[in-house]
Amino acid sequence: MEYMESTNKPGYCIFCIEQIKGDDVEKLVAFRGKRAYVILNRYPYTSGHLMVVPFVHKPNLEELDPGTRGEMMELTTRCMIVLRKIYKPQAFNMGANIGEAAGAGVKSHVHIHVVPRWNGDTNFISTIGDARVLPELLEKTYARVKKGFEES
């Protein structure tokens, strides 16, 4: 909860701060494009939960230029390719929560979630048990995803 509350401070954006840092397990940036980057969700619903984030700080897709939106979609597709190779998910949830009413945790900086899914996965535990169940440490997920992007 502290992480989410800290993103609501005036002038503070976790995505802007993370994009200027180096690419390592502490920052969780797995890949950098020209206009957008891929970062692991620090509090994932499943192993491999990625986010595609534009470098420019805008609250919604329509304020992004067409090149940035296009690169975000290409990176979203590339995330799915990398995750299929690594985790062999049976499906994906993909989308953006744009605005507070839609449940955006970071409402001032648009981003797309890419969440691998499997039949019988346990993401419902978050809803009923107020806990997350992950079969893999975040550091291991980062290493696997970073390598996946390097090889793709």
Side-chain angles (χ1 to χ4, degrees):
M1 193 62 162
E2 182 180 326
Y3 168 79
M4 294 306 288
E5 290 170 355
S6 71
T7 64
N8 292 323
K9 293 178 184 173
Y12 179 87
C13 175
I14 189 66
F15 294 131
C16 289
I17 288 173
E18 292 304 323
Q19 72 177 317
I20 62 173
K21 295 180 180 180
D23 300 350
D24 60 30
V25 70
E26 183 183 332
K27 284 63 168 191
L28 301 177
V29 174
F31 180 82
R32 289 178 188 270
K34 291 180 182 172
R35 298 173 182 213
Y37 66 99
V38 176
I39 188 168
L40 273 71
N41 189 317
R42 191 168 298 280
Y43 302 98
Y45 287 105
T46 66
S47 293
H49 181 167
L50 304 177
M51 295 178 290
V52 178
V53 185
F55 287 121
V56 63
H57 183 89
K58 297 290 182 183
N60 52 55
L61 291 169
E62 61 268 27
E63 290 187 43
L64 298 173
D65 64 82
T68 300
R69 286 193 306 265
E71 182 173 310
M72 288 179 71
M73 287 310 301
E74 288 302 318
L75 285 177
T76 298
T77 302
R78 192 164 171 197
C79 286
M80 294 171 68
I81 291 166
V82 167
L83 292 170
R84 282 187 202 280
K85 184 175 179 183
I86 296 169
Y87 293 105
K88 306 197 180 0
Q90 296 167 318
F92 286 94
N93 287 124
M94 180 190 77
N97 301 323
I98 299 173
E100 188 173 357
V106 182
K107 59 185 176 247
S108 65
H109 199 135
V110 68
H111 54 284
I112 299 172
H113 291 264
V114 181
V115 184
R117 301 299 305 274
W118 298 265
N119 291 329
D121 65 25
T122 58
N123 82 338
F124 68 90
I125 295 294
S126 304
T127 305
I128 64 172
D130 197 27
R132 300 271 169 101
V133 178
L134 296 174
E136 181 175 72
L137 292 173
L138 194 56
E139 296 81 7
K140 175 132 178 144
T141 301
Y142 174 79
R144 293 177 78 184
V145 169
K146 181 120 173 106
K147 182 179 178 188
F149 272 96
E150 290 168 356
E151 293 175 349
S152 69

